[in-house]
């Protein structure tokens, strides 16, 4: 009898300790989430090295909608900004956020819905922390795509449970044998346990990939149920969708007890692991859950999207808290227009803001390193953020819906043998061919057709930029070719950046956007400032002066 008391006391102690540990862990997580709010993501978490893990969902969805193409994404360095933006707590959030960032939304009602939920999370700390805690427990993956795990379930050939039930039967026979022959029962039990453990690891090895996927899917379902229980009014439509889809997946949830168990190093988890080895509970649960999952792939995808949507907007809420200056954009509709006050690039530590109201296309001139390219990227990024994150880095930002395409940071393709000029004209052609009959186009071109000689560059640039100034679109172009400011004066507004000299005679920049075309050229002055010998700079300066006078080159 005393033995039973001891067993009971130990069991109560372990139960109490487990409850205490869980409560204590929850408190620690809440503190961590609260302390981390308003801090941006960073490259140290490995996000850049695991880009494929958040790429799959975007690839699937972008087939049906306008999206930022690879050239524009590279021009704007969107992956690096995504790393900074990505403070999602769940894998669904990571993957959905990447899709959201690369997919402009042309539905004002949807953008308004995003704003309401972002504002709610910003103003309601307690509810925000509860949602973050649920998503944190759902967790993220390293180098794996949750959406790919769901996709793998589609068409999967379901395994049977006969072998697993045989393992349980062998244990049952071994226990029953104790009533007839103890020696035989012990031998049979040992053999059965060894057989079960060996077959367990063999089966688990064969199913490891799928088992991992179903485990994460089950965690996703649990997170969706917990989000519904919070009953947040601003998430009512999301909750209704989650309820409807969860109802179709009851068998998956009920059959996934063993799969859902968390491996956290506790005594309970260790005991559960040993029981699984002997009785194959998790494998049986896996097969039961898998059958239900395979039959409801669309429901799983919808739950993935809803959780990802919520987690993504929490990341936007965090982004806003991390910056002092930002605004909610005013999006006006289908007629091309763009204006902003004190706009800046969010990646700069000490940005110089710019203000502009563009009634038509804009030509930016200026000397090397004066700020032209950074300005184009700042305008492009903020326009994209307006249509995705509903957040702009400016005092005010007003625009229409835009299809955003750029041609800025191109390079030679040494693998295909394609020259820079060929790469550039292909990039420009895709801009010229974009359909803007329904949604206006917004194009950004840096140093148009720089890959050819001066005469043909100016002629071709004039023709291309003129073509991009008609119709339902705006074009922002930067160039060193001052000639374009005159040739395109009737189609483009002229703005520029310039430079001055400091007390020591070095070139310095103020990075302030100014009206009108640039009148300064600083290439030769930069050579002087960087210590080039006078025999080089003097010859260059004399040649430039003679050319400006005569229109001919001579040395």
């Amino acid at each position: 009898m005393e033995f039973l008391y001891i067993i009971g006391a130990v069991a109560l102690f372990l139960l109490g300790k487990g409850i205490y540990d869980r409560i204590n862990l929850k408190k620690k997580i809440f503190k961590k989430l609260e302390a981390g709010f308003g801090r941006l993501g960073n490259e140290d978490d490995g996000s850049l090295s695991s880009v494929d893990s958040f790429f799959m969902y975007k690839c699937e969805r972008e087939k049906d909608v306008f999206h930022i193409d690879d050239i524009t994404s590279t021009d704007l360095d969107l992956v690096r900004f995504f790393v900074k933006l990505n403070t999602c707590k769940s894998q669904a959030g990571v993957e959905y956020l990447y899709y959201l960032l690369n997919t402009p939304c042309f539905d004002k009602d949807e953008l308004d819905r995003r704003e309401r939920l972002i504002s709610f999370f910003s103003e309601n700390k307690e509810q925000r922390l509860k949602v973050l805690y649920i998503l944190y427990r759902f967790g993220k993956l390293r180098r794996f795509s949750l959406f790919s795990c769901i996709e793998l379930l589609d068409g999967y050939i379901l395994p049977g449970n006969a072998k697993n039930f045989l393992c349980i039967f062998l244990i049952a026979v071994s226990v029953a044998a104790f009533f007839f022959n103890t020696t035989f029962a012990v031998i049979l039990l040992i053999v059965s346990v060894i057989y079960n453990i060996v077959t367990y690891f063999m089966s688990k090895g064969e199913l490891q990939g799928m088992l991992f996927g179903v485990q994460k899917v089950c965690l996703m379902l649990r997170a969706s149920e917990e989000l519904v229980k919070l009953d947040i009014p601003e998430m009512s439509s999301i909750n209704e969708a989650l309820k409807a889809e969860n109802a179709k997946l009851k068998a998956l949830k009920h059959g996934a007890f063993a799969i859902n168990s968390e491996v956290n190093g506790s005594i309970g988890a260790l005991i559960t692991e040993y029981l699984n080895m002997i009785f194959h509970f998790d494998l049986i649960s896996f097969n039961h859950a898998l059958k239900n999952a395979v039959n409801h792939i669309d429901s799983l995808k919808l739950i993935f999207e809803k959780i990802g949507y919520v987690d993504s907007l929490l990341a936007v809420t965090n982004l806003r808290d991390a910056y002092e200056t930002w605004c909610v954009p005013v999006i006006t509709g289908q007629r091309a227009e763009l204006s902003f006050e004190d706009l800046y690039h969010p990646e700069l530590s000490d940005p110089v803001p710019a203000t502009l109201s563009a009634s038509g296309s804009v030509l930016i001139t200026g000397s090397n390193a004066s700020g032209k390219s950074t300005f184009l990227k700042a305008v492009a990024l903020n326009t994209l953020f307006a249509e995705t994150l509903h957040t702009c880095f400016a005092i005010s930002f007003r625009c229409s819906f835009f299809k955003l395409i750029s041609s800025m940071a191109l390079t030679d393709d040494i693998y295909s043998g394609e020259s820079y000029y060929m790469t550039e004209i292909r990039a420009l052609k895709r801009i010229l061919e974009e359909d803007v009959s329904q949604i206006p186009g917004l194009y950004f071109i840096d140093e148009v057709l720089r890959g050819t000689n001066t005469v043909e560059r100016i002629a071709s640039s004039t023709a291309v930029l003129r073509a991009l100034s008609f119709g339902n679109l705006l074009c922002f172009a930067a160039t060193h070719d001052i000639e374009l400011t005159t040739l395109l004066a009737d189609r483009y507004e002229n703005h520029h950046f310039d430079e001055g000299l400091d007390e020591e005679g070095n070139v310095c920049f103020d990075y302030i956007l100014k009206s009108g075309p640039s009148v300064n050229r600083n290439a030769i002055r930069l050579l002087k400032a960087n210590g080039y010998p006078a025999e080089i700079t003097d010859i260059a300066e004399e040649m430039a002066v003679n050319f400006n006078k005569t229109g001919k080159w001579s040395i």
Side-chain angles (χ1 to χ4, degrees):
M1 196 69 176
E2 292 180 359
F3 177 73
L4 293 178
Y5 287 141
I6 294 173
I7 294 296
V10 171
L12 286 174
F13 171 77
L14 293 176
L15 178 62
K17 188 177 185 306
I19 294 173
Y20 172 80
D21 289 343
R22 185 173 290 273
I23 293 173
N24 194 42
L25 178 62
K26 184 175 181 178
K27 289 180 179 178
K28 288 182 179 180
I29 293 173
F30 263 82
K31 288 182 180 179
K32 178 181 178 181
L33 293 172
E34 184 177 0
F37 186 71
R39 296 182 181 179
L40 297 172
N42 59 75
E43 297 176 21
D44 295 336
D45 66 1
S47 297
L48 278 178
S49 62
S50 58
V51 62
D52 289 344
S53 69
F54 50 77
F55 189 67
M56 299 304 296
Y57 179 69
K58 170 183 173 288
C59 290
E60 175 67 21
R61 288 294 305 274
E62 71 183 13
K63 299 173 185 175
D64 306 318
V65 295
F66 175 82
H67 60 278
I68 300 302
D69 63 20
D70 291 343
I71 294 176
T72 304
S73 178
T74 300
D75 288 344
L76 303 184
D77 208 0
L78 276 188
V79 171
R80 191 168 295 279
F81 182 80
F82 169 80
V83 171
K84 184 172 282 192
L85 170 65
N86 178 25
T87 53
C88 292
K89 308 305 177 188
S90 72
Q91 185 64 24
V94 173
E95 296 182 47
Y96 193 91
L97 178 62
Y98 190 64
Y99 157 75
L100 184 145
L101 180 62
N102 284 271
T103 311
C105 174
F106 303 136
D107 182 346
K108 195 172 188 306
D109 291 338
E110 166 56 24
L111 290 175
D112 288 341
R113 282 191 290 271
R114 294 180 189 179
E115 181 57 37
R116 285 194 294 272
L117 194 51
I118 294 168
S119 298
F120 171 80
F121 286 139
S122 179
E123 297 165 4
N124 294 270
K125 173 183 173 182
E126 183 178 350
Q127 293 292 72
R128 180 181 74 232
L129 285 173
K130 289 179 179 178
V131 176
L132 285 171
Y133 175 71
I134 291 170
L135 297 172
Y136 180 88
R137 292 180 65 213
F138 176 5
K140 293 189 283 189
L141 309 176
R142 288 282 185 177
R143 304 181 185 279
F144 288 99
S145 163
L146 179 60
F147 185 76
S148 294
C149 291
I150 296 173
E151 288 273 273
L152 286 174
L153 294 171
D154 197 4
Y156 185 72
I157 300 175
L158 297 169
N161 266 326
K163 186 189 295 185
N164 298 319
F165 285 126
L166 173 62
C167 291
I168 295 176
F169 176 74
L170 290 174
I171 297 296
V173 170
S174 302
V175 173
F178 275 93
F179 293 98
F180 304 101
N181 188 316
T182 303
T183 302
F184 174 74
V186 170
I187 294 172
L188 181 59
L189 181 60
I190 293 173
V191 172
S192 298
V193 168
I194 293 173
Y195 172 79
N196 289 5
I197 292 175
V198 171
T199 55
Y200 174 80
F201 283 107
M202 289 177 62
S203 298
K204 201 166 184 178
E206 294 172 359
L207 300 171
Q208 191 61 49
M210 293 304 295
L211 180 59
F212 175 82
V214 173
Q215 284 176 331
K216 299 309 173 185
V217 165
C218 290
L219 288 174
M220 181 181 75
L221 295 181
R222 185 175 70 181
S224 69
E225 287 185 322
E226 293 178 0
L227 287 175
V228 171
K229 289 178 182 178
L230 292 180
D231 196 24
I232 295 174
E234 285 74 11
M235 291 175 53
S236 58
S237 60
I238 295 172
N239 290 339
E240 289 174 8
L242 291 176
K243 280 182 182 177
E245 301 309 321
N246 270 307
K248 302 173 185 177
L249 295 160
K250 287 182 178 179
L252 174 55
K253 289 175 286 187
H254 294 162
F257 172 75
I259 295 174
N260 245 348
S261 61
E262 298 179 8
V263 180
N264 53 22
S266 67
I267 296 175
L270 189 62
I271 293 173
T272 300
E273 182 66 18
Y274 282 121
L275 289 175
N276 284 333
M277 291 181 196
I278 297 171
F279 295 101
H280 295 204
F281 290 144
D282 59 345
L283 295 179
I284 293 171
S285 296
F286 166 76
N287 290 333
H288 185 66
L290 184 58
K291 182 177 180 181
N292 188 231
V294 168
N295 292 332
H296 294 93
I297 298 295
D298 290 340
S299 295
L300 292 175
K301 289 182 178 179
L302 185 58
I303 293 172
F304 169 92
E305 290 177 349
K306 296 300 181 184
I307 293 178
Y309 181 86
V310 172
D311 205 357
S312 295
L313 298 188
L314 277 164
V316 177
T317 308
N318 183 83
L319 179 75
R320 289 182 176 183
D321 194 71
Y323 285 88
E324 290 186 8
T325 304
W326 57 269
C327 68
V328 174
V330 176
I331 301 182
T332 57
Q334 307 302 320
R335 187 178 64 82
E337 63 172 299
L338 178 62
S339 61
F340 46 81
E341 179 184 358
D342 286 353
L343 174 140
Y344 66 98
H345 195 298
E347 293 283 351
L348 297 179
S349 57
D350 188 22
V352 177
T355 298
L356 180 68
S357 180
S359 57
S361 293
V362 175
L363 186 65
I364 307 294
T365 48
S367 49
N368 298 287
S370 60
K372 301 189 303 299
S373 298
T374 300
F375 172 74
L376 292 186
K377 291 179 181 179
V379 178
L381 274 174
N382 277 282
T383 306
L384 175 62
F385 296 159
E387 298 180 303
T388 55
L389 312 180
H390 210 234
T391 303
C392 295
F393 297 97
I395 295 296
S396 66
F397 192 92
R398 181 184 179 91
C399 67
S400 59
F401 289 116
F402 279 119
K403 289 182 175 181
L404 194 153
I405 312 177
S406 70
S407 174
M408 298 172 69
L410 303 174
T411 59
D412 294 355
D413 188 342
I414 61 174
Y415 296 103
S416 67
E418 189 170 79
S419 69
Y420 177 87
Y421 183 68
M422 287 301 298
T423 301
E424 189 175 18
I425 63 175
R426 292 183 192 280
L428 288 172
K429 189 170 185 288
R430 88 193 200 288
I431 294 177
L432 290 165
E433 293 176 345
E434 184 62 41
D435 179 12
V436 294
S437 59
Q438 301 298 320
I439 303 295
L442 181 60
Y443 306 139
F444 295 88
I445 304 173
D446 194 7
E447 296 301 333
V448 59
L449 296 172
R450 75 182 84 174
T452 188
N453 65 77
T454 303
V455 174
E456 291 189 311
R457 181 178 68 248
I458 293 174
S460 300
S461 297
T462 301
V464 170
L465 292 179
R466 181 171 289 276
L468 291 175
S469 68
F470 292 95
N472 195 27
L473 55 85
L474 296 178
C475 179
F476 279 65
T479 182
H480 282 98
D481 295 321
I482 302 299
E483 296 86 350
L484 295 181
T485 61
T486 302
L487 293 169
L488 296 170
D490 61 327
R491 300 304 308 170
Y492 281 75
E493 299 176 15
N494 276 299
H495 296 271
H496 72 278
F497 293 91
D498 61 16
E499 73 288 337
L501 296 176
D502 61 19
E503 295 179 356
E504 298 177 356
N506 296 318
V507 177
C508 59
F509 303 98
D510 58 18
Y511 305 111
I512 297 174
L513 180 68
K514 303 176 179 68
S515 297
S518 173
V519 295
N520 293 332
R521 301 188 182 187
N522 75 338
I524 298 174
R525 280 194 290 176
L526 281 175
L527 293 179
K528 291 180 179 180
N530 282 276
Y532 273 64
E535 56 264 29
I536 293 178
T537 57
D538 289 348
I539 292 174
E541 194 162 16
E542 184 180 350
M543 289 178 64
V545 170
N546 288 336
F547 179 80
N548 287 331
K549 289 181 179 179
T550 66
K552 297 180 180 180
W553 288 111
S554 62
I555 187 169

